[in-house]
Amino acid sequence: MLPPDKLASPVTVLGSAVELTADGQLGSAFLVSMGRVLGGFAIGALVGVALGLSSGLSRWGERIFDPPVQMLRTLPHLGLIPLFILWFGIGEEPKLALVAAGVAFPLYLNLHAGIRQTDPGLLEASRVLGYTAVERVVHVVLPSALPQTLVGLRISLGAAWLSLIVAEQVNADAGIGYLINNAREFLRTDVVVVGLLVYALLGLATDGLVRGLERRLLRWQVR
Amino acid sequence: MAGAVSVRGLVKEFGDRRVLDEVDLDIRPGEFVALLGRSGSGKSTLLRILAGLDAEVRGTVEVPGTVSVAFQQPRLLPWRRVWRNVSLGLRGAGKQKAAGRAVAEKALAEVRLTDHVDAWPLTLSGGEAQRVSLARALVREPDVLLLDEPFGALDALTRLAMHHLVDQLWRDHRPAVLLVTHDVDEALLLADRILVLDEGRIVAEHRVGLSRPRRRAAFAELRTRVLADLGVDDVEAA
């Protein structure tokens, strides 16, 4: 019904998917993209969690880190691409940086808020039971912050994929974004659609992973 | 015999407001004392000071030995199963962690919650959760048990059952108890001695020389006198 140069038919898409998988193109592109997301996520999570803990657990940390982070988070981080390219060049670094920026903010905000929501009554009860400050953090504060932090994790994983897609559109010589851009040059809408489908499946898979994690870690919540 | 609790000249101020005004209080080992007062009389503040939750005071406060507290809300950790919440009471009381589960099960049997050992706290009713909180307080084998209106949030029927349970537990374990409450009947049912706190001062003291378990009919006359100390006319006696 549609001309193939606008949108390929599902059959063609399926055929190309099989073909791309068979010759290893899709597999290697997948690995490259996956590596970028994992690397960027690791950096962003490290920064987000470190800052979230510092400003959640200490008044001084909050005074130092919270105002600048709150200011920066109003910037749409995808708008940072030009700066990141100027700073990091056009290799892997700007892609990792963009993914990391997408991940760090939602994690920070939710971890910080989660820690601050700790029930003072529980803290008092644990003090009466003889808990030290460190034990109170481990047994009371962090478990209290967990539900909110997992919400942050879901948002940040969504942001990670989004950042990757945008970063790979700008310039890439490998990965799913490269596959899509390359296909565009040759009007291969079937390959473009395959790439998009892979992005969608990866997003779904990571979301399912976090939901599984929630079910396991938050079993104590009454649903 | 040394006292379980000894307080002399205790003064607590929040800004300009004097919440506790030169309070003296002694509780003998194994004695059950009820502290009655209206809202804002300072009774919960006094309990928090005895629990070590508020150190910014004047005067001397001595509470030697192990102290346990049960609050109005059960304050269980929702992410720990019931038995783990109970064994948390062992921490800081110098007890071994290895025996935790066995000790917790025994304490839960005492509060008649054997069926809920592995339950999550959020699945319990208010009365059940409060019994877990009592079990957590008792596994420490406290010398002093502080009860901060522990039945205040429960429905009337559950409260009656809890009165019997606390009476039984106290007779089995014999800690010194300070029960903070505004329920006169509760104080008369459970305590050896009743103190009335008003505007930060202890204004009256009554000994309840009745045998246990007590019947309400036995303390009608004393009830009228305690209510008078609280500034309430007992219409039933008139």
Side-chain angles (χ1 to χ4, degrees), chain A residues 60-93:
Chain A
W60 276 106
E62 184 167 38
R63 262 175 237 166
I64 295 168
F65 297 123
D66 200 51
V69 176
Q70 296 289 352
M71 214 162 70
L72 284 176
R73 90 184 167 97
T74 58
L75 273 175
H77 77 283
L78 295 177
L80 294 173
I81 295 181
L83 263 187
F84 280 1
I85 290 175
L86 289 174
W87 292 347
F88 304 114
I90 52 165
E92 287 302 296
E93 293 90 343

Coordinates of all heavy atoms in Angstrom, one line a residue, chain A residues 60-93:
Chain A
W60 N 25.6 19.3 55.0 CA 26.7 19.9 54.2 C 26.7 19.5 52.8 O 26.8 20.3 51.9 CB 28.0 19.7 54.8 CG 28.3 20.6 56.0 CD1 28.3 20.3 57.3 CD2 28.6 22.0 55.9 NE1 28.6 21.4 58.0 CE2 28.8 22.5 57.2 CE3 28.7 22.9 54.8 CZ2 29.1 23.8 57.5 CZ3 29.0 24.2 55.1 CH2 29.2 24.6 56.4
G61 N 26.5 18.2 52.5 CA 26.5 17.7 51.2 C 25.3 18.3 50.4 O 25.4 18.7 49.2
E62 N 24.2 18.5 51.1 CA 23.0 19.1 50.5 C 23.3 20.5 50.1 O 22.9 21.0 49.0 CB 21.8 19.0 51.4 CG 20.5 19.5 50.7 CD 19.3 19.1 51.5 OE1 19.3 19.2 52.8 OE2 18.3 18.8 50.9
R63 N 23.9 21.3 51.0 CA 24.2 22.7 50.7 C 25.1 22.8 49.5 O 25.0 23.7 48.7 CB 24.8 23.3 52.0 CG 23.8 24.1 52.8 CD 24.4 24.6 54.0 NE 23.6 24.1 55.2 CZ 24.1 24.2 56.4 NH1 25.3 24.7 56.7 NH2 23.3 23.8 57.4
I64 N 26.1 21.9 49.4 CA 27.1 22.0 48.4 C 26.6 21.6 47.0 O 26.7 22.2 46.0 CB 28.4 21.2 48.8 CG1 29.0 21.8 50.0 CG2 29.4 21.2 47.6 CD1 30.1 21.0 50.6
F65 N 25.9 20.4 47.0 CA 25.6 19.7 45.7 C 24.2 20.1 45.2 O 24.0 20.1 44.0 CB 25.8 18.2 45.8 CG 27.2 17.8 46.1 CD1 27.4 17.0 47.2 CD2 28.2 18.1 45.3 CE1 28.7 16.6 47.5 CE2 29.5 17.7 45.6 CZ 29.8 17.0 46.7
D66 N 23.3 20.2 46.2 CA 21.9 20.3 45.7 C 21.6 21.5 44.8 O 21.0 21.4 43.7 CB 20.9 20.3 46.9 CG 19.5 19.8 46.4 OD1 19.4 18.8 45.7 OD2 18.5 20.5 46.7
P67 N 22.0 22.8 45.2 CA 21.7 23.9 44.4 C 22.2 23.8 42.9 O 21.4 24.0 42.0 CB 22.3 25.1 45.1 CG 22.4 24.6 46.5 CD 22.7 23.2 46.4
P68 N 23.5 23.4 42.7 CA 23.9 23.3 41.3 C 23.2 22.2 40.5 O 22.9 22.4 39.4 CB 25.4 23.1 41.4 CG 25.7 22.7 42.8 CD 24.6 23.3 43.7
V69 N 23.0 21.1 41.2 CA 22.3 20.0 40.5 C 20.9 20.4 40.1 O 20.5 20.2 39.0 CB 22.3 18.7 41.3 CG1 21.5 17.6 40.6 CG2 23.7 18.2 41.6
Q70 N 20.2 21.0 41.0 CA 18.8 21.5 40.7 C 18.8 22.5 39.6 O 17.9 22.5 38.8 CB 18.2 22.1 42.0 CG 18.0 21.1 43.1 CD 16.9 20.1 42.9 OE1 16.1 20.2 41.9 NE2 16.8 19.1 43.8
M71 N 19.8 23.3 39.5 CA 19.9 24.3 38.5 C 20.2 23.6 37.1 O 19.5 23.9 36.1 CB 21.1 25.2 38.8 CG 20.9 26.6 38.3 SD 22.1 27.7 39.2 CE 23.6 27.2 38.4
L72 N 21.1 22.6 37.1 CA 21.5 22.0 35.9 C 20.4 21.1 35.3 O 20.2 20.9 34.1 CB 22.7 21.1 36.1 CG 24.0 21.9 36.2 CD1 25.2 20.9 36.5 CD2 24.3 22.6 34.8
R73 N 19.6 20.5 36.3 CA 18.6 19.6 35.8 C 17.5 20.2 35.0 O 16.8 19.6 34.2 CB 17.9 18.8 37.0 CG 16.7 19.5 37.5 CD 16.2 18.8 38.7 NE 15.2 19.6 39.4 CZ 13.9 19.5 39.2 NH1 13.4 18.6 38.4 NH2 13.1 20.3 39.8
T74 N 17.3 21.6 35.1 CA 16.3 22.3 34.3 C 16.8 22.3 32.8 O 16.0 22.6 31.9 CB 16.1 23.7 34.8 OG1 17.3 24.4 34.8 CG2 15.5 23.6 36.2
L75 N 18.1 22.2 32.5 CA 18.6 22.1 31.2 C 18.1 20.8 30.5 O 18.3 19.7 31.1 CB 20.1 22.1 31.2 CG 20.8 23.5 31.2 CD1 22.3 23.2 31.3 CD2 20.5 24.2 29.9
P76 N 17.6 20.9 29.3 CA 17.3 19.6 28.6 C 18.7 19.0 28.2 O 19.4 19.7 27.5 CB 16.5 20.0 27.4 CG 16.5 21.4 27.3 CD 17.1 22.0 28.6
H77 N 19.0 17.8 28.8 CA 20.4 17.4 28.6 C 20.8 17.0 27.2 O 21.9 17.1 26.8 CB 20.7 16.2 29.5 CG 20.2 14.9 29.1 ND1 18.8 14.6 29.2 CD2 20.7 13.9 28.5 CE1 18.6 13.4 28.7 NE2 19.8 12.9 28.2
L78 N 19.7 16.8 26.3 CA 20.0 16.4 24.9 C 20.5 17.7 24.2 O 21.2 17.6 23.2 CB 18.7 15.9 24.3 CG 18.2 14.6 24.8 CD1 16.9 14.2 24.1 CD2 19.3 13.5 24.6
G79 N 20.2 18.8 24.7 CA 20.7 20.1 24.1 C 22.2 20.3 24.3 O 22.8 21.2 23.8
L80 N 22.8 19.4 25.1 CA 24.2 19.6 25.4 C 25.1 19.0 24.3 O 26.4 19.1 24.4 CB 24.6 18.9 26.7 CG 23.9 19.5 28.0 CD1 24.2 18.6 29.2 CD2 24.5 20.9 28.2
I81 N 24.5 18.3 23.3 CA 25.4 17.7 22.3 C 26.4 18.5 21.7 O 27.6 18.1 21.6 CB 24.5 17.1 21.2 CG1 23.6 16.0 21.8 CG2 25.3 16.5 20.1 CD1 22.7 15.3 20.8
P82 N 26.1 19.8 21.2 CA 27.1 20.6 20.6 C 28.3 20.8 21.6 O 29.5 20.7 21.1 CB 26.4 21.9 20.3 CG 25.0 21.6 20.4 CD 24.8 20.4 21.2
L83 N 28.0 21.1 22.8 CA 29.1 21.3 23.8 C 29.9 20.1 24.0 O 31.1 20.1 24.0 CB 28.5 21.7 25.2 CG 28.4 23.2 25.5 CD1 27.9 23.3 26.9 CD2 29.7 23.8 25.3
F84 N 29.2 18.9 24.1 CA 29.9 17.6 24.3 C 30.8 17.3 23.1 O 31.9 16.8 23.3 CB 28.9 16.5 24.6 CG 28.4 16.5 26.0 CD1 28.8 17.4 26.9 CD2 27.5 15.5 26.4 CE1 28.3 17.4 28.2 CE2 27.0 15.4 27.6 CZ 27.4 16.4 28.5
I85 N 30.4 17.7 21.9 CA 31.2 17.4 20.8 C 32.5 18.3 20.8 O 33.6 17.8 20.5 CB 30.4 17.6 19.4 CG1 29.4 16.5 19.3 CG2 31.3 17.6 18.2 CD1 28.5 16.6 18.1
L86 N 32.3 19.6 21.2 CA 33.4 20.5 21.3 C 34.4 20.0 22.4 O 35.6 20.1 22.2 CB 32.9 21.9 21.6 CG 32.2 22.6 20.5 CD1 31.7 24.0 20.9 CD2 33.2 22.8 19.3
W87 N 33.8 19.5 23.5 CA 34.7 19.1 24.6 C 35.4 17.7 24.3 O 36.5 17.5 24.6 CB 33.9 18.9 25.9 CG 33.3 20.2 26.4 CD1 33.7 21.5 26.1 CD2 32.4 20.4 27.5 NE1 33.0 22.4 26.8 CE2 32.2 21.8 27.7 CE3 31.6 19.5 28.2 CZ2 31.3 22.3 28.6 CZ3 30.7 20.0 29.2 CH2 30.6 21.4 29.3
F88 N 34.5 16.8 23.8 CA 35.0 15.4 23.8 C 35.3 14.9 22.4 O 35.7 13.7 22.2 CB 34.0 14.4 24.4 CG 33.6 14.8 25.8 CD1 32.3 15.2 26.1 CD2 34.6 14.7 26.8 CE1 32.0 15.5 27.4 CE2 34.2 15.0 28.1 CZ 32.9 15.4 28.4
G89 N 35.1 15.7 21.3 CA 35.3 15.3 20.0 C 34.2 14.5 19.5 O 33.0 14.6 20.0
I90 N 34.4 13.6 18.4 CA 33.3 12.9 17.9 C 33.4 11.4 18.1 O 32.8 10.6 17.4 CB 33.1 13.2 16.4 CG1 34.4 13.0 15.6 CG2 32.5 14.6 16.2 CD1 34.2 12.9 14.1
G91 N 34.3 11.0 19.0 CA 34.5 9.5 19.2 C 33.4 9.0 20.2 O 32.2 9.4 20.1
E92 N 33.8 8.1 21.0 CA 32.8 7.4 21.9 C 32.5 8.3 23.1 O 31.4 8.3 23.7 CB 33.4 6.1 22.5 CG 33.5 5.0 21.5 CD 32.1 4.6 20.9 OE1 31.3 4.2 21.7 OE2 31.9 4.8 19.7
E93 N 33.4 9.3 23.5 CA 33.2 10.0 24.7 C 32.0 10.8 24.8 O 31.2 10.8 25.8 CB 34.5 10.9 25.0 CG 35.7 10.2 25.3 CD 36.5 9.8 24.0 OE1 35.9 9.9 22.9 OE2 37.7 9.5 24.2

